[in-house]
Amino acid sequence: MRHATLARIALTGAIVTTLAAGCAAPTTHATGASGSGSTTVQAAAAPGRAVASASGGVRVAVVGDSLTAGGGRLLSDGLTADTWMTYAQGDGVDYVGGYAKGGSTVQEQAAAVRPVADVDVLVLMSGTNDVRLGLGFAESAASYDAIVDTIRPKHVVVAAIPPYDRDPAAAARYEAELERYVVDEGWTFTDPWGFARAGEVYAPGTSLDGIHPTTAGYETIGHELRDVVLDVAGARAGAPQADSPTDPDADGSQSGS
């Protein structure tokens, strides 16, 4: 299982994808320059129910493909049992919008995403469809920056892509380059997929199609990303990451499509 890498910071605790070509597990440990740890927090929200963004929790926006949207659909259609944010929200985590669409590439997401006001943490998980279409990370890198520049969060968390059984070697290459890029940008990289990995492919029982996790897998991912969000926001409150500009006068609007 891979260890999550936190860029340029020491943390006190650790807290796909397409239908066209297209479970519980241990908590992922996030590692930093001076230590590692883990914390498990149970999300309070029921599947499909969004928590009001005015509850005073960590304001989280998400961007991605079907792994985030929940199948070949738009995130703006609402959260489902196959949307990881369903299990991450509530009890201190407020889902405030973003953009995700089944089958979309990072480039498509960068073109479609709209500003979201006052985001504490952006969670970005994408790249499987780039691999599916034969796009190397070098062709996608600028789109990650464009998404961050649009959302303008205080902190950026980039999640690893899951195994991709149709071309596992290409997915592994993409992810290795993605992780190096995230570290260089000063963002936070985390791999919530340890429970699903058997080398470079999905572990038995964790996926029905070799692309997407099972519903139980989405729940595991939600809990693990929740931990990372709370850790990043709590340990570094008021200290925006490099290259993640915040402008209190900016006129942002929440968007889910």
Side-chain angles (χ1 to χ4, degrees), residues 71-232:
R73 58 193 294 279
L74 285 166
L75 181 65
S76 57
D77 292 338
L79 305 185
T80 72
D82 288 339
T83 308
W84 67 260
M85 190 68 216
T86 295
Y87 309 100
Q89 67 174 344
D91 197 19
V93 173
D94 295 343
Y95 164 55
V96 297
Y99 178 86
K101 180 182 178 181
S104 63
T105 63
V106 182
Q107 292 92 328
E108 291 175 280
Q109 294 154 24
V113 71
R114 297 293 178 263
V116 181
D118 193 24
V119 173
D120 294 315
V121 181
L122 165 65
V123 179
L124 172 53
M125 181 165 58
S126 191
T128 295
N129 289 303
D130 297 62
V131 174
R132 173 177 64 86
L133 296 173
L135 301 173
F137 179 75
E139 300 174 78
S140 306
S143 295
Y144 285 87
D145 284 305
I147 291 168
V148 172
D149 288 343
T150 296
I151 299 292
R152 300 177 69 82
K154 294 182 178 71
H155 308 291
V156 180
V157 172
V158 177
I161 63 175
Y164 182 61
D165 289 5
R166 299 182 184 186
D167 195 345
R173 286 194 301 271
Y174 187 100
E175 183 182 319
E177 294 182 50
L178 171 63
E179 181 173 358
R180 286 194 294 269
Y181 189 82
V182 170
V183 170
D184 288 344
E185 288 293 311
W187 302 335
T188 296
F189 182 87
T190 188
D191 183 356
W193 297 97
F195 74 96
R197 295 188 187 279
E200 294 181 351
V201 298
Y202 268 101
T206 60
S207 175
L208 299 178
D209 61 3
I211 303 172
H212 306 86
T214 61
T215 297
Y218 280 111
E219 183 174 2
T220 298
I221 295 160
H223 292 319
E224 296 199 4
L225 289 178
R226 171 190 173 83
D227 288 350
V228 175
V229 163
L230 288 172
D231 186 67
V232 168

